[in-house]
Amino acid sequence: CLISDEQNGHRALHILQEERRKQAQRSVLISCQVTTNEKKFLKYLSQHGDINKFFFYESYGLYAVVEFSSSESVASLLESSVIPSVSHECVVPFKSRLLWLRNHSLVDSGGQTSGLVCQAQTTTPINELIHRISTQESIEQQMMSLTEASQLTEENSRLRFLVCSLLEDIATAYFPECTITPFGSSVNGFGKLGCDLDMFLNLDNIKGRNMRLPKSGLSLEYQMKRANSERAVTQSILSVIGECVDQFGPGCVGVQKILNARCPLVRFSHQPSGFQCDLTANNRVAMKSTELLYLYGGLDARVRHLVFSVRCWARVHGITSSIPGAWITNFSLTMMVLFFLQRRNPPIIPTLDQLQQLAGPADKSIIDGNDCTFVSDFAKVQLQSNTETLEQLLSAFFEFYATFNFSRLSINIRKGKEQNKPEMSPLHILNPFETSLNISKNVNVTQLDRFVALCQESSWLSQQSRTLNPKKSTSGKNTAMPWGLAALLLPLQVDGIKGRKK
Amino acid sequence: CLISDEQNGHRALHILQEERRKQAQRSVLISCQVTTNEKKFLKYLSQHGDINKFFFYESYGLYAVVEFSSSESVASLLESSVIPSVSHECVVPFKSRLLWLRNHSLVDSGGQTSGLVCQAQTTTPINELIHRISTQESIEQQMMSLTEASQLTEENSRLRFLVCSLLEDIATAYFPECTITPFGSSVNGFGKLGCDLDMFLNLDNIKGRNMRLPKSGLSLEYQMKRANSERAVTQSILSVIGECVDQFGPGCVGVQKILNARCPLVRFSHQPSGFQCDLTANNRVAMKSTELLYLYGGLDARVRHLVFSVRCWARVHGITSSIPGAWITNFSLTMMVLFFLQRRNPPIIPTLDQLQQLAGPADKSIIDGNDCTFVSDFAKVQLQSNTETLEQLLSAFFEFYATFNFSRLSINIRKGKEQNKPEMSPLHILNPFETSLNISKNVNVTQLDRFVALCQESSWLSQQSRTLNPKKSTSGKNTAMPWGLAALLLPLQVDGIKGRKK
Ligand SMILES: Nc1nc2c(ncn2[C@@H]2O[C@H](COP(=O)(O)OP(=O)(O)OP(=O)(O)O)[C@@H](O)[C@H]2O)c(=O)[nH]1
Ligand SMILES: Nc1nc2c(ncn2[C@@H]2O[C@H](COP(=O)(O)OP(=O)(O)OP(=O)(O)O)[C@@H](O)[C@H]2O)c(=O)[nH]1
Ligand SMILES: [Mg+2]
Ligand SMILES: [Mg+2]
């Protein structure tokens, strides 16, 4: 899969992104009938050229993603496609690479399903997951199994890039050189199936921007609308794209233009993929954080396994939430895991300052006056030989934050050391690139206290032998009783306390 | 000029439109400095290819319209243009064919103007016009002189098509096969300098709309947003284009999306041209009315002269207004002139029913169930030999409406005969193509009464010998005293009554 360190661990994220983006540009998304015959379907599409890769999945119906070898095939396929004529209804004649397969032959429409293999695009339900990992032999295996079950698949990753590409078609209509790529958990290696799709509209490549004017004689400049700030420009552009997605975007529903947020965005649901999408523009620092997380996740396999386990644990205990509020975010939680790993002895991952020192000239990056430079070449990073097991690390993580002096100290992955808090927010996690900011400013005392109490209980629990050893079911059935990581995902005392307080 | 019958009288409007549209696509609009040296300017632009035609005009600064022989030249010119970098300001990097000329040489920037010839894009002020026509020898000449001074020039017409073309670039970004062309007085032959620019977004040519699906096997359809009506589709599309014009359109200000009107539209001011623009979509009937007016104006030169005189007379007396309200519109007024000309004996122009009978198969047009068929070939229309002079017609026009039985009768250019009013609006002018509608439903009794009173006074005045004969100035100066048509443009008694009533 895209983000597994085995395959791609040694390639910088932006190279991967570019490759995936090109694949997506050669791809189409087709809504099929359940009776679709795979062989006939492929034969029909192959008229337009060779197919590199395809898969089927279900989401409000059956869909296929088809990647051609060449983008001419896509053009040819679109050329042959028709605009639906629905009686008593009209359509907005905006053409995209989202299509519908019609079957006009009588033979196949007999109602029987064709037995197509569908790729799951959603996570395993929590109870099924608990059962599954309870059958594992070790906590280490439980954690790896949880990662395996939660992480984005190759297919889901392709689908994310494809949705970006469909949106890129909308944006390039007005800004031909712009790109839209995923960022955040869709590509940083820590995303789980079903996580939102954060999209980054990059306008930096627009030509003619830094062209030099001649010293003498005549020259021409484009007349362009002026704005007071880059933020205002971003708002303008997102406003138009948002309007277009709302009015034209097939399968795009619930479009909200949230243009007055700190980081203006357009939010919508893309029904054919099932993704909740957030489009932002020129959000370069967030792309840098994404690269940084991707690097950390690729340096040592334990990083991702620990993050997946902690995120899952946090979600089931209501530490994190999909609704914005005073909760700890997945992003903050990941920073806490990274910081914890930097504090091991010897450290499992280097500090951001160390990564900055390893940077080459091509890595140099200053964004709005902030130095966001760090190494992108995995090979340049030498790790220390820490041999702790995932089991030890999970338990140690809970202990670390069960006893952390949150009231006085700040979490700083740049230095890899606690620092005195510069301000009085309950939880202070330094924004790694805009170091005057706290990424967990939103967290209130109640939420922090719950986190600490859950760490305490989980720390205690993870040291009990009843937790540490596999249990056989007392009933005759062949199912295992929850133990190890699974036990930590069951309701805890603290969950009950919260319940009573309500 | 575009609409003079001498030149183009025998070509159907849509052919002319297409030719102008192509010219506009090869053209750019450049904001220049007043010190621009024409020779250097042309030499500089010629690097990119041959120039077919160019002219300069003034509007919030000096502008040049330049038409190249080939659109590759425009592409090359844009390729070499840069995005302005303004300190402390940002720009929306939307590229269009609206450019700025920069002069970097020290020699030319000495402040002296270059003596460029500028084409006027505005009408002669009314008092200057009155003076000018007072020096004419006959009322006929006065009327022709008024047309000459008011009508659109070749350059203004080009500028109108160019502004449409700039907007077409915005629309084709999402609907590649669509076109935007002017309609209404910009092209019907009755437009005066400074009239608004009515634009028609035509989505009918979008490909794949009427392609047939195969009878058997598989086929692909675009997935498209559904809407309840064609009106809803139009609203969606105008909403996006309006947003884009508002946020990106250089020089476009005061953008209003008036989407809930009977005919949804986007209104804005285009500063570089000075045009007030109204963009509507799929407004096919209005395009047909435009063609009809164009045909009537081209059949006999007296039509346009009489319309120009009557429109000017109506404007100075406040019968028409640029503000929407209970006033008679220019469109209604034109219908009244046409009807009057149909009622002459022998008729000067045929009825719409007669024009429909002359139609060939290619002229057939049914729009939303309304038969909008009429002949487009001027040569097929045989006129009767009415020899009345413009002087007679002007006077007769006032008399006709001074005594018209508005309370009982409807004006119907389809039949060329009064009909009984089907409904109780004070003024009833049959919509020629949607015959259940009244195009002057908005007019109230007060406005109609003023019109009638002004017709009465003007009719009486136009029969007085002091009006009918040229006057020499009593002062020693070489200026003529207003007489003839000029006298009808001076304040009348009725204007005074209106003033007292306020
Ligand atoms: N600087 C900064 N960046 C943030 C903050 N929150 C989110 N980001 C960035 O935006 C990206 C997307 O945000 P989210 O969608 O909330 O988080 P995510 O990492 O994608 O995780 P999930 O969507 O919850 O799976 C993150 O990966 C960060 O790079 C913040 O508070 N400060
Ligand atoms: N059917 C119908 N068409 C109208 C009506 N008003 C305007 N139109 C059409 O829309 C066109 C543009 O409208 P206007 O801009 O108001 O009129 P115009 O003929 O362009 O004249 P001015 O702009 O006043 O110079 C007209 O030429 C007609 O074709 C109306 O009430 N009914
Ligand atoms: Mg996210
Ligand atoms: Mg008009």
Side-chain angles (χ1 to χ4, degrees), chain B residues 183-185 188 195-196 198 286 289-290 311 330-331 431 434 439:
Chain B
F183 72 99
S185 60
N188 66 15
C195 73
D196 69 353
D198 303 294
S289 324
T290 302
R311 280 193 178 198
N330 276 330
F331 183 60
N431 183 321
E434 294 161 295
I439 66 163

Side-chain angles (χ1 to χ4, degrees), chain B residues 36 57 79 130-131 186 198 202 221 233 237 275 279 304 336 369 408 419 437 447 480:
Chain B
T36 302
Y57 71 92
E79 189 66 22
I130 288 173
H131 275 299
S186 294
D198 303 294
N202 185 347
E221 263 182 14
V233 172
I237 292 172
F275 295 142
L279 174 68
R304 291 182 62 238
M336 291 170 92
R408 207 173 57 79
Q419 311 253 287
L437 301 178
Q447 289 305 320

Side-chain angles (χ1 to χ4, degrees), chain A residues 48-69:
Chain A
H48 301 285
D50 290 344
I51 292 170
N52 268 358
K53 161 114 193 165
F54 71 93
F55 63 90
F56 292 91
Y57 71 92
E58 266 187 275
S59 156
Y60 302 93
L62 182 68
Y63 282 87
V65 171
V66 180
E67 183 204 322
F68 286 92
S69 301

Side-chain angles (χ1 to χ4, degrees), chain A residues 29-31 36-37 40-41 44-45 48 63 77-86 88-105 108 169-171 173-177 203 206-233 235-241 243-253 255 257 272, chain B residues 29-31 36-37 40-41 44-45 48 63 77-86 88-105 108 169-171 173-177 203 206-233 235-241 243-253 255 257 272:
Chain A
L29 185 52
I30 304 176
S31 170
T36 302
N37 177 303
K40 287 189 189 164
F41 174 68
Y44 176 72
L45 295 181
H48 301 285
Y63 282 87
L77 180 135
L78 295 182
E79 189 65 23
S80 77
S81 299
V82 305
I83 294 182
S85 53
V86 204
H88 304 298
E89 269 200 345
C90 294
V91 296
V92 181
F94 175 75
K95 297 174 179 178
S96 76
R97 284 179 283 139
L98 177 55
L99 303 161
W100 240 307
L101 183 73
R102 292 287 198 123
N103 189 346
H104 307 271
S105 72
D108 279 0
D169 286 348
I170 290 179
Y174 289 135
F175 304 100
E177 300 97 345
L203 296 157
I206 293 180
K207 261 192 60 185
R209 218 191 251 279
N210 296 313
M211 275 163 69
R212 265 177 309 137
L213 290 173
K215 291 221 176 48
S216 71
L218 301 176
S219 72
L220 289 169
E221 264 180 14
Y222 289 101
Q223 256 197 61
M224 288 172 163
K225 273 236 157 103
R226 308 245 164 143
N228 294 324
S229 61
E230 208 187 304
R231 178 181 163 82
V233 172
Q235 286 169 327
S236 283
I237 292 172
L238 288 180
S239 178
V240 174
I241 295 179
E243 196 66 26
C244 183
V245 170
D246 195 17
Q247 307 285 357
F248 304 161
C252 299
V253 298
V255 181
K257 299 186 189 180
Chain B
L29 184 51
I30 304 177
S31 170
T36 302
N37 176 304
K40 286 188 189 165
F41 175 68
Y44 176 72
L45 294 181
H48 301 286
Y63 282 86
L77 179 133
L78 294 181
E79 189 66 22
S80 78
S81 299
V82 304
I83 293 181
S85 52
V86 205
H88 304 299
E89 268 199 346
C90 295
V91 295
V92 181
F94 175 76
K95 297 173 178 178
S96 76
R97 284 178 283 140
L98 176 56
L99 302 161
W100 240 307
L101 183 73
R102 293 287 199 123
N103 187 345
H104 307 270
S105 72
D108 279 1
D169 286 347
I170 289 180
Y174 289 135
F175 304 100
E177 301 97 345
L203 295 159
I206 293 182
K207 261 192 59 185
R209 219 191 250 278
N210 296 315
M211 276 163 68
R212 263 178 311 137
L213 289 175
K215 290 220 178 48
S216 71
L218 302 176
S219 72
L220 289 170
E221 263 182 14
Y222 289 101
Q223 257 196 59
M224 288 173 162
K225 273 233 157 106
R226 309 244 163 142
N228 293 325
S229 61
E230 209 187 304
R231 177 180 164 82
V233 172
Q235 286 169 328
S236 282
I237 292 172
L238 289 179
S239 177
V240 174
I241 295 179
E243 194 67 26
C244 184
V245 170
D246 194 18
Q247 306 286 355
F248 304 161
C252 298
V253 299
V255 180
K257 298 186 190 179

Side-chain angles (χ1 to χ4, degrees), chain B residues 183-186 188 190-192 195-198 262 278 283 285-290 293 311 321 329-332 334 431-434 437-440 442:
Chain B
F183 72 99
S185 60
S186 294
N188 66 15
F190 300 110
K192 76 182 229 309
C195 73
D196 69 353
L197 173 54
D198 303 294
R262 193 180 67 86
D278 276 355
N283 191 4
V285 172
M287 191 49 107
K288 271 288 155 190
S289 324
T290 302
L293 263 52
R311 280 193 178 198
S321 164
T329 63
N330 276 330
F331 183 60
S332 293
T334 308
N431 183 321
F433 297 117
E434 294 161 295
L437 301 178
N438 169 13
I439 66 163
S440 55
N442 63 308

Side-chain angles (χ1 to χ4, degrees), chain B residues 396-428:
Chain B
F397 172 85
F398 294 129
E399 198 184 333
F400 184 83
Y401 285 112
T403 56
F404 191 86
N405 189 348
F406 284 107
S407 62
R408 207 173 57 79
L409 299 176
S410 164
I411 290 167
N412 182 339
I413 69 156
R414 187 161 267 288
K415 304 258 167 265
K417 266 213 282 275
E418 296 84 355
Q419 311 253 287
N420 286 329
K421 262 162 69 164
E423 44 135 313
M424 286 322 299
S425 306
L427 177 58
H428 196 279

